[in-house]
Amino acid sequence: MKFLKALACATAFAACAVSSLAHAAGYPERSITMIVPFSAGGPTDTVARLVAESMSKDLGQQIIIENVGGAGGTLGAGRVANADADGYTLLLHHIGMATSATLYRKLPYDTLNAFEYVGLVTDVPMTIVTRKDMEAKDLKGLIDYAKANKDKVTVANAGIGAASHLCGMLFMSAIQTPLVTVPYKGTGPAMTDLLGGQVDIMCDQTTNTTKQIQGGTIKAYAVTSPKRLDVMKDIPTAVEAGLPGFEVGIWHGIYAPKGTPAEATERLAKALKVALKDPNVVARFAELGTAPSPETDATPQALKAKLEGEIARWKPVIEGAGQYAD
Ligand code: MLT
């Protein structure tokens, strides 16, 4: 009798071990694709590659970045919205996910019903920058120059729905002067033209401008954060420099197609939490003027609430500016 009891316990233990191994050996079983909806070399790409590399270690599977630029990030977002909901296609996108819901009357997806949520990643400040030979000595001088040359001053952005488009729109509204906008598939390529002097002004994220500002290859006039940034302490905030209320942070989140199993999104959220505490990610973000989102925000619930709140927040601002994508 004792033998049978021992055999039963052993069998139960083995079955339990196998099932937990099977579970542990479950998702992910192969590499994952993370779509970045802007060109390689830009701020979104930089954030994605840093976080994906760290998440891969925890997941035990590679996360491969694929850049799908165009239409202010909506092409890449549409690709993910229509991908298989198996946990092997993800989207890393920013505030543009919220602003595009109002800017685009016809999107290839229904923003609040086409995605599952993994979590928030980081909230990146922006910088108002220009070609390095811009004559203005401060933001007030830059605004005066822009107003006096409004038919020739060019402002680069990454298309309607991009963070640079939002910041440029806020800037033109604040100075009550429309300027000539030049769209790119990302602010990576836009930076090339700014460095070359082919375009005059850009409002772009510190993840793309910090090293250039520190190197003196572009000029910075203001940061859009509530306080000055350690990586560029001599640059005033836009509020200090004369644009009351001009604060904008570019929050980023990771999404999956609607219907992706909770086992996958929860496993991804766990890997995201680990990545946001990775000393290398923390250090690289700090060098680029930003910081990981708090652990409490690296959850599906936090990202869902953020997206819903930001759609509601920016809708009246966008409608007031009257700028829409055709
Ligand atoms: C990029 O990664 O190129 C930028 O996020 C584009 C933008 O949103 O301005």
Side-chain angles (χ1 to χ4, degrees):
M1 188 52 184
K2 267 190 178 173
F3 170 72
L4 286 176
K5 209 170 166 189
L7 185 61
C9 284
T11 311
F13 174 76
C16 177
V18 165
S19 73
S20 66
L21 272 180
H23 183 70
Y27 174 82
E29 294 165 338
R30 54 187 166 84
S31 63
I32 297 164
T33 298
M34 178 180 277
I35 301 288
V36 169
F38 296 101
S39 309
T44 312
D45 190 58
T46 298
V47 168
R49 288 177 193 276
L50 269 173
V51 170
E53 186 191 355
S54 184
M55 287 177 72
S56 295
K57 291 178 201 150
D58 186 69
L59 292 165
Q61 292 292 347
Q62 205 187 356
I63 297 181
I64 298 158
I65 301 293
E66 183 180 340
N67 301 88
V68 179
T74 58
L75 283 186
R79 167 84 78 84
V80 176
N82 296 301
D84 291 343
D86 56 9
Y88 293 96
T89 303
L90 306 177
L91 170 71
L92 188 139
H93 197 0
H94 59 38
I95 193 171
M97 194 76 149
T99 58
S100 296
T102 302
L103 286 162
Y104 285 79
R105 292 188 171 106
K106 284 195 303 295
L107 276 175
Y109 54 89
D110 172 354
T111 304
L112 288 176
N113 293 298
F115 300 95
E116 303 292 350
Y117 304 91
V118 173
L120 284 158
V121 177
T122 182
D123 192 334
V124 182
M126 300 196 88
T127 50
I128 298 174
V129 294
T130 70
R131 53 181 165 78
K132 67 177 179 189
D133 57 353
M134 176 62 72
E135 304 74 9
K137 297 278 174 284
D138 55 21
L139 185 62
K140 188 182 175 318
L142 178 65
I143 291 168
D144 293 344
Y145 173 82
K147 287 183 171 182
N149 299 278
K150 66 180 183 328
D151 296 331
K152 71 181 180 95
V153 168
T154 50
V155 181
N157 66 39
I160 294 180
S164 46
H165 165 263
L166 173 66
C167 191
M169 182 183 78
L170 295 173
F171 180 70
M172 288 184 270
S173 296
I175 68 173
Q176 296 176 326
T177 306
L179 302 171
V180 178
T181 55
V182 182
Y184 295 78
K185 287 199 168 182
T187 49
M191 178 61 81
T192 304
D193 278 2
L194 191 71
L195 289 167
Q198 279 79 37
V199 69
D200 297 313
I201 301 174
M202 181 157 73
C203 186
D204 195 16
Q205 300 165 71
T206 57
T207 33
N208 198 32
T209 60
T210 298
K211 294 303 173 198
Q212 307 296 353
I213 293 167
Q214 291 173 339
T217 51
I218 58 174
K219 271 181 91 168
Y221 286 87
V223 294
T224 67
S225 41
K227 289 192 292 193
R228 293 193 181 203
L229 301 174
D230 291 345
V231 288
M232 50 183 91
K233 276 195 181 315
D234 56 333
I235 309 299
T237 66
V239 173
E240 275 180 272
L243 289 178
F246 199 96
E247 284 181 19
V248 59
I250 308 304
W251 53 273
H252 295 62
I254 297 176
Y255 305 82
K258 190 78 177 174
T260 301
E263 180 206 0
T265 53
E266 281 159 17
R267 180 65 189 88
L268 290 162
K270 179 180 170 298
L272 174 58
K273 280 195 179 79
V274 173
L276 296 184
K277 288 188 285 192
D278 179 336
N280 178 53
V281 170
V282 175
R284 284 291 293 136
F285 273 6
E287 283 169 16
L288 297 174
T290 190
S293 295
E295 187 170 348
T296 48
D297 285 354
T299 64
Q301 300 75 16
L303 177 55
K304 182 175 188 292
K306 184 74 173 180
L307 179 61
E308 290 168 347
E310 288 282 278
I311 289 174
R313 173 191 174 200
W314 290 106
K315 189 172 187 313
V317 175
I318 290 164
E319 287 168 347
Q323 279 193 26
Y324 296 96
D326 300 332

